[in-house]
Amino acid sequence: QVQLVESGGGSVQAGGSLKVSCAASSFKRYCMAWFRQAPGTEREGVAAILGDGVTKIADSVKGRFSISTDNRKNTLFLQMNSLQPEDTAMYYCAARSAACGWYGLFEGRHYDVWGQGTQVTVSS
């Protein structure tokens, strides 16, 4: 069964760090990404990684967030540092099972497999 399962969300104070994970079932993934969505806002792509390890980080989190994978464990990570209240959101991982385009990496419609999300709450 093709699935993604996020974990590691939680509550943290401003300035703190959190690392969320996404465990993938065994299927061919050409790229993966992290998106987030806060209530009343549009879904936002924050970080993506191609199969060759090249990453793309959104300007809103550049210098604070990083994305990585452990391919042996089929796991995607998002390391979040210097968290701010505006980072509060549900965080989703996504994967695409076909060739990926650089300019589509932060487009939700680019991905065909999604996790259920993990909540990250940052208090001031």
Side-chain angles (χ1 to χ4, degrees), residues 2-4 22 24 27-35 76 92-98 100 108 110-115:
V2 173
Q3 65 176 355
L4 301 171
C22 172
F27 66 97
K28 180 67 174 178
R29 305 173 296 278
Y30 288 80
C31 59
M32 297 186 74
W34 287 98
F35 288 77
L76 177 73
Y92 300 91
C93 72
R96 179 173 169 86
S97 58
C100 298
H110 196 65
Y111 299 89
D112 53 347
V113 185
W114 290 83

Side-chain angles (χ1 to χ4, degrees), residues 55-76:
T55 63
K56 185 175 184 179
I57 307 296
D59 289 342
S60 59
V61 301
K62 195 166 291 182
R64 302 188 298 121
F65 289 16
S66 62
I67 186 172
S68 61
T69 60
D70 182 338
N71 290 324
R72 294 171 302 174
K73 296 183 179 180
N74 287 326
T75 304
L76 177 73

Side-chain angles (χ1 to χ4, degrees), residues 8 10 12 19 27 39 54 62-63 67 77 97 112 115 118 123:
V12 63
K19 187 174 185 178
F27 66 97
V54 173
K62 195 166 291 182
I67 186 172
F77 302 101
S97 58
D112 53 347
T118 186
S123 57

